[in-house]
Amino acid sequence: MKKKLFLAYSSTFLFLLISVWLGLSIGSVDIPFSALWDKEANPSAYSILWNIRMPRVVLAGLVGASLAIAGAAFQGLLRNPLADPYTIGVSSGASVGAISTIFFGVSIPMLGSYTLAMFGILGAFITLIFVLSFARLVDKTLKMETLILTGVIFSAFLSSCISLLTALSHEELKAVVNWLLGSVAMRGWSYVYVLIPFLIIGTLILWFNRRELNVMMYGDERATSLGVNVVRRKYAVLIGGSVLTGAAVSVSGTIGFVGLVVPHITRLVWGTDHRHLLPLSFLKGATLLIICDLVSRTVVAPQELPIGVITAFIGAPVFAYIFFKQRRKK
């Protein structure tokens, strides 16, 4: 078991380091890795590396990590391998908040460039409150089916709001569409600083509930008999996962399939123990999105593809395979 875990963590760290190295080195201008610490040798390369590529790679990694660990938690909580961070509608709430900011041209002087991200996070929290309140009214025990159906209801309503704002957009249409397709281009360090506090809070909440997630995978009754306060733990996991999802969506736009594919494959390869599933998913999610971002800006250079397009190309076939496999078991 120890050898397996060592292999899991060492290989995951290795792939992450390789993805970071590729993300920093490859682009419209190839930059040697030594430019990280040798400013005098090539000042322009040093500037590009620290002001453009480094924040982009870091943001891609943090967004991918946030979505992947949230997906791992939701799949365990809902006992559904097809669940992902967007299941309960929080991402749609973040999207409505961010798109409303673009559509109405909202800019708060105190927030400055943080306005878009903060309104996205606010939209995510408001959606979470409504989802949990409605689900609680329907079923006080917050059963899996109730949460999923409530999420579907709110996602459908919020998606219609997004479509309405998109249809009414004129000058803002390009910005809205680009945001919906997902991207980490030209975000800068300010967006990294916005995401980090929410990443830490959400990750810690999920980490402190890792053992309870293991127990709740076997059903609410079994967990209750073992002394777990199921409702309280469900609230904690939902809040933690929603904090991560809302913050990630608010700074990068809608990037699908990362929270579905990464934790599912990690579970298949390394097991279902959330003590290791959560950190491994975190690292693998960062690796995947850094690679996807690299592909998005190089595959049709000098143009860039939205990163959401790349993740969809990867995620859709994997989703189809998972769905087919689940149906064949029945």
Side-chain angles (χ1 to χ4, degrees):
M1 184 64 181
K2 288 184 179 180
K3 287 184 179 180
K4 183 179 180 181
L5 290 175
F6 175 77
L7 177 61
Y9 283 102
S10 59
S11 60
T12 301
F13 271 115
L14 178 61
F15 282 120
L16 178 58
L17 290 174
I18 292 173
S19 70
V20 170
W21 172 62
L22 293 174
L24 293 176
S25 301
I26 300 175
S28 56
V29 178
D30 290 340
I31 297 175
F33 204 67
S34 60
L36 274 173
W37 57 83
D38 191 0
K39 181 178 180 179
E40 301 301 325
N42 193 334
S44 61
Y46 182 87
S47 178
I48 292 171
L49 201 58
W50 280 102
N51 296 323
I52 299 176
R53 287 197 192 164
M54 182 66 80
R56 180 167 183 161
V57 168
V58 171
L59 185 62
L62 295 181
V63 169
S66 298
L67 295 175
I69 193 173
F74 283 145
Q75 287 177 10
L77 177 68
L78 301 175
R79 303 192 297 279
N80 187 343
L82 300 181
D84 72 353
Y86 301 148
T87 299
I88 63 171
V90 173
S91 67
S92 298
S95 297
V96 170
I99 291 172
S100 298
T101 305
I102 298 171
F103 182 81
F104 293 108
V106 178
S107 180
I108 299 176
M110 289 186 298
L111 296 177
S113 60
Y114 295 85
T115 302
L116 178 66
M118 295 309 294
F119 270 84
I121 293 168
L122 180 62
F125 277 118
I126 292 173
T127 302
L128 177 63
I129 292 170
F130 275 104
V131 168
L132 292 180
S133 299
F134 186 81
R136 183 77 172 171
L137 286 174
V138 175
D139 182 0
K140 291 185 178 181
T141 61
L142 295 178
K143 289 182 180 178
M144 175 186 70
E145 296 83 359
T146 304
L147 286 171
I148 292 175
L149 290 174
T150 303
V152 169
I153 293 168
F154 277 86
S155 290
F157 174 74
L158 293 169
S159 294
S160 66
C161 294
I162 294 170
S163 299
L164 176 63
L165 291 173
T166 304
L168 294 175
S169 298
H170 297 289
E171 293 84 1
E172 311 89 0
L173 181 60
K174 185 177 180 180
V176 169
V177 172
N178 286 340
W179 192 90
L180 284 173
L181 291 174
S183 176
V184 292
M186 305 306 293
R187 293 296 196 266
W189 287 110
S190 62
Y191 282 80
V192 174
Y193 301 146
V194 169
L195 179 56
I196 284 176
F198 296 97
L199 172 69
I200 293 172
I201 293 169
T203 301
L204 287 176
I205 292 173
L206 297 184
W207 178 250
F208 289 140
N209 288 276
R210 62 195 184 281
R211 291 185 175 85
E212 286 75 13
L213 277 169
N214 284 342
V215 177
M216 287 191 290
M217 286 177 60
Y218 298 101
D220 293 353
E221 293 181 2
R222 177 80 176 272
T224 302
S225 67
L226 293 173
V228 176
N229 188 326
V230 173
V231 174
R232 182 181 298 174
R233 295 299 179 175
K234 282 183 179 179
Y235 272 124
V237 173
L238 288 170
I239 291 171
S242 298
V243 166
L244 290 163
T245 304
V249 170
S250 68
V251 299
S252 65
T254 306
I255 298 176
F257 293 106
V258 175
L260 168 66
V261 172
V262 173
H264 187 79
I265 293 177
T266 305
R267 183 179 284 105
L268 289 176
V269 176
W270 303 114
T272 60
D273 187 345
H274 285 84
R275 292 176 299 172
H276 304 294
L277 177 61
L278 293 178
L280 287 173
S281 296
F282 185 95
L283 297 171
K284 289 178 183 294
T287 302
L288 175 63
L289 208 60
I290 291 171
I291 294 297
C292 287
D293 178 56
L294 175 61
V295 172
S296 74
R297 58 186 165 89
T298 57
V299 69
V300 290
Q303 289 184 317
E304 287 193 17
L305 292 174
I307 194 171
V309 172
I310 306 300
T311 58
F313 268 117
I314 296 172
V318 176
F319 182 89
Y321 170 75
I322 295 170
F323 180 71
F324 177 77
K325 191 175 180 181
Q326 288 295 116
R327 297 297 296 178
R328 286 293 298 268
K329 286 181 179 179
K330 294 182 179 180

